[in-house]
Amino acid sequence: MAEIKAPSRTSRPLLGVLFMCTACALFPIMNGLVKLLAATYDPQEIVWFRIILHLVLVAAVFMPRMGLGLLRTRRIGTQFVSSVMMMLSTLFFFSAVKSIPVAEAIAVTFVAPLAVVLLAWPLLGERITFFRMAAVIVGFAGVLIVIRPGSAVFQWQSLLLLGSAVCYAMYQILIRRLAGIDAPATSIFYSVLLGAIIMSAWLPFHWKTPTGWIDWALLCSLGALGALGHYCVAKAMTYASANFVAPFNYTQMIGSVIVGYLMFAEVPDFYTWLGTAVVVGAGLMVGWHGRKPQKS
């Protein structure tokens, strides 16, 4: 089979930005639907729909071209651990967003890129500079501003959001370790495979039959929105460098505010905006510093 040549990573940067912003518009819609459905269904059932539909869509897209080669991996253990991290990240987030405003939930998860910086040191041996460590500390301070532990507005579900961010950071690190070893499509498939198996075994204890076709449609749409969003992120990386498009990930905050207001009449308070600005600023500091050549 002839190899399909991917577009140059820097040939069409504006198209890369368009794909990234599209993804950042899809994810808040998915999160809003999760919050809406969580009022009726257990998070475990919602996660199952999210993962299983994602798995089916990935298989439908890549199986015709790759066949059983989609399952070929040289790091099965790493793939399974990454799948568990993705499942836990999703489960923690879906469990928390039921009680926490959409924009605040997204603001806390923005700490994930900073957690990657911190965890990549012991797990990947990537040297962490003083500048990056300072950015990580500033970013976590921003999260504390958002969740305000010890205050009357603090909710324990905020800790689930931090857990979600850390698990997602672990997932990103594991995927980085798999880069160049397994095909990207294989990693995407395995990222939800074990989670789908685990949640399927767990599902009978939390199953509630959807009450009508609208609920069926909303539950099934979660997998489509998530898969399409991740596809747009991958496409963005093919048209522009990661450092160029990554900051546009923070536009999720705009979509989250709009979704939260239109669906739940949620308006972020001053501290949510301030904490978000601190976290985003810290993330941009790390991204900007990462573009500079490191001295040996």
Side-chain angles (χ1 to χ4, degrees), residues 12-276:
R12 306 180 71 179
L14 293 181
L15 191 56
V17 170
L18 177 62
F19 271 109
M20 180 60 79
C21 290
T22 300
C24 293
L26 293 172
F27 290 141
I29 295 173
M30 181 184 71
N31 295 335
L33 294 179
V34 168
K35 185 178 179 70
L36 185 67
L37 291 164
T40 306
Y41 303 97
D42 283 350
Q44 292 86 347
E45 182 175 353
I46 300 173
V47 171
W48 181 83
F49 272 98
R50 163 69 180 88
I51 290 178
I52 205 73
L53 267 297
H54 189 152
L55 181 67
V56 170
L57 288 172
V58 171
V61 170
F62 292 105
M63 275 286 189
R65 287 185 294 168
M66 300 179 63
L68 294 180
L70 181 65
L71 305 178
R72 191 175 299 119
T73 173
R74 288 181 284 177
R75 295 290 187 274
I76 187 67
T78 303
Q79 292 285 10
F80 279 165
V81 174
S82 72
S83 186
V84 171
M85 290 298 105
M86 172 63 84
M87 179 196 70
L88 289 176
S89 177
T90 306
L91 181 60
F92 289 161
F93 184 88
F94 284 12
S95 299
V97 79
K98 176 180 179 179
S99 306
I100 294 179
V102 178
E104 182 178 322
I106 287 295
V108 175
T109 60
F110 281 162
V111 79
L114 302 173
V116 169
V117 172
L118 196 60
L119 294 172
W121 185 12
L123 296 179
L124 295 178
E126 294 184 359
R127 185 168 142 264
I128 183 170
T129 64
F130 174 80
F131 184 92
R132 288 189 172 185
M133 178 60 77
V136 169
I137 294 173
V138 170
F140 277 100
V143 169
L144 293 178
I145 294 174
V146 175
I147 65 178
R148 281 160 279 171
S151 70
V153 299
F154 173 74
Q155 300 182 64
W156 68 268
Q157 290 89 343
S158 297
L159 301 180
L160 290 177
L161 293 174
L162 284 175
S164 175
V166 171
C167 287
Y168 188 66
M170 287 289 296
Y171 166 77
Q172 289 181 304
I173 288 173
L174 293 171
I175 290 299
R176 187 183 299 177
R177 293 181 67 174
L178 291 165
I181 298 175
D182 288 343
T186 297
S187 293
I188 294 173
F189 181 80
Y190 276 105
S191 71
V192 290
L193 177 60
L194 188 57
I197 295 172
I198 294 174
M199 296 309 298
S200 294
W202 201 357
L203 184 65
F205 303 101
H206 301 276
W207 175 259
K208 178 180 179 180
T209 303
T211 55
W213 69 267
I214 293 180
D215 282 9
W216 276 107
L218 293 178
L219 285 164
C220 291
S221 72
L222 299 179
L225 288 169
L228 182 58
H230 285 290
Y231 172 79
C232 287
V233 172
K235 289 293 290 183
M237 299 300 178
T238 67
Y239 288 113
S241 66
N243 283 334
F244 181 78
V245 298
F248 291 93
N249 180 59
Y250 294 120
T251 60
Q252 279 193 69
M253 189 64 183
I254 299 172
S256 298
V257 170
I258 294 172
V259 168
Y261 179 76
L262 293 179
M263 295 182 67
F264 309 103
E266 297 172 349
V267 179
D269 61 17
F270 169 76
Y271 291 101
T272 299
W273 284 115
L274 177 61
T276 301

